[in-house]
Amino acid sequence: MSPTPPPLLPDPIPEHPLLTGRKEIGRGESSIVLEADPVDGQERVYKILSSPTDHAYYTAPDRPLGRHFPVVFADHGHFGRSSRGYPYYLVEVERLYPLPSHGEASEVASKISTAYFDACMMWRNLAQDMGRIALHHLTCTPMGWADTVNDSLKALEVFSEEYGALPDLIKADNLMMRKDGTLVFSDPVFME
C-alpha cells in the first residue's frame, strides 16, 4: 500500500484584484497556482502561498538562485489568511511543467528522488533531521549529474538549514521543468 499523500490546500481561491477571473491550474499542500498573462513571450503564473517557508523560498534576498530554481518576477505581498492560520502570499513566477515520462530532466529528477529517498531510509533513525542529512548526503556523494545540479542541491541545503525548512525531493510536483527541458526545483521545501 502506498503512503497517503498530504491533503491539498482546501481553501477556495482568495479574493485579490490580480486573481479575479483567473483559472486555477494547480494546487498543492500549501499553494494554489493560477494562470497569468505572458509578458514579452514569457509564460507566468500567480502562485498563492500559505506557508512562510515557501514564501521565503521564492522571495528571500538569500534564496537559492540559478539554473535549477524558479524565476520570480514579482512578490505582490501578503493578503488574507488561509484556513491553516498563515497569511496568504502572492508571487508571480515563471510557468513550469510536469516532468514527462522520459527525457533528461525526468531521468535526473528520478535519480535525485530515488537517491534522496534511499538516503532518508539510511538516516531515518534521525527522525525529523533525516531529510536534511539525506540532502547533505546527495551533495557529498558523487552521483554523476551536472555541476549545476550539484550546486543547486548545495544551495538548497544552505537554504534549508538557514530557514529551518525540511527538504522534500520525493513528491512529483516538487521537481518540474521549463519548456526547454531544464529541471527546476519548484517546491522542494516545507515547514517543520
Side-chain angles (χ1 to χ4, degrees), residues 59-148:
T59 64
D62 58 346
R63 71 186 176 90
L65 297 171
R67 176 177 170 86
H68 299 288
F69 295 103
V71 174
V72 178
F73 298 108
D75 177 5
H76 297 290
H78 64 86
F79 66 105
R81 290 206 173 272
S82 75
S83 62
R84 296 180 180 153
Y86 295 106
Y88 285 123
Y89 301 92
L90 182 61
V91 294
E92 192 171 341
V93 299
E94 70 177 315
R95 184 170 184 161
L96 298 172
Y97 295 89
L99 295 166
S101 58
H102 62 284
E104 184 179 346
S106 295
E107 290 172 20
V108 174
S110 178
K111 189 173 182 180
I112 288 170
S113 293
T114 301
Y116 178 75
F117 178 81
D118 291 347
C120 282
M121 291 298 97
M122 183 180 353
W123 298 103
R124 69 182 173 268
N125 61 329
L126 297 176
Q128 193 166 348
D129 287 330
M130 77 175 174
R132 288 193 192 107
I133 300 295
L135 179 56
H136 180 72
H137 179 85
L138 262 61
T139 67
C140 296
T141 305
M143 298 281 183
W145 41 58
D147 289 343
T148 59

Side-chain angles (χ1 to χ4, degrees), residues 1-180:
M1 179 187 296
S2 62
T4 304
L8 299 178
L9 184 64
D11 302 0
I13 296 169
E15 290 188 29
H16 188 283
L18 291 172
L19 304 178
T20 303
R22 302 282 177 183
K23 178 183 171 190
E24 181 177 324
I25 58 174
R27 188 174 283 255
E29 188 177 349
S30 60
S31 64
I32 303 170
V33 181
L34 291 98
E35 298 182 319
D37 297 326
V39 176
D40 296 329
Q42 172 69 54
E43 292 183 292
R44 299 175 181 217
V45 296
Y46 287 116
K47 197 157 191 175
I48 302 164
L49 307 169
S50 68
S51 158
T53 301
D54 288 351
H55 184 249
Y57 176 73
Y58 281 98
T59 64
D62 58 346
R63 71 186 176 90
L65 297 171
R67 176 177 170 86
H68 299 288
F69 295 103
V71 174
V72 178
F73 298 108
D75 177 5
H76 297 290
H78 64 86
F79 66 105
R81 290 206 173 272
S82 75
S83 62
R84 296 180 180 153
Y86 295 106
Y88 285 123
Y89 301 92
L90 182 61
V91 294
E92 192 171 341
V93 299
E94 70 177 315
R95 184 170 184 161
L96 298 172
Y97 295 89
L99 295 166
S101 58
H102 62 284
E104 184 179 346
S106 295
E107 290 172 20
V108 174
S110 178
K111 189 173 182 180
I112 288 170
S113 293
T114 301
Y116 178 75
F117 178 81
D118 291 347
C120 282
M121 291 298 97
M122 183 180 353
W123 298 103
R124 69 182 173 268
N125 61 329
L126 297 176
Q128 193 166 348
D129 287 330
M130 77 175 174
R132 288 193 192 107
I133 300 295
L135 179 56
H136 180 72
H137 179 85
L138 262 61
T139 67
C140 296
T141 305
M143 298 281 183
W145 41 58
D147 289 343
T148 59
V149 172
N150 202 54
D151 291 345
S152 295
L153 289 168
K154 287 178 183 176
L156 187 57
E157 177 184 20
V158 169
F159 177 85
S160 294
E161 286 295 324
E162 288 180 5
Y163 283 85
L166 296 174
D168 181 3
L169 300 174
I170 297 172
K171 201 165 79 174
D173 290 343
N174 292 352
L175 300 171
M176 297 181 82
M177 66 179 226
R178 295 187 179 100
K179 268 191 176 177
D180 70 3

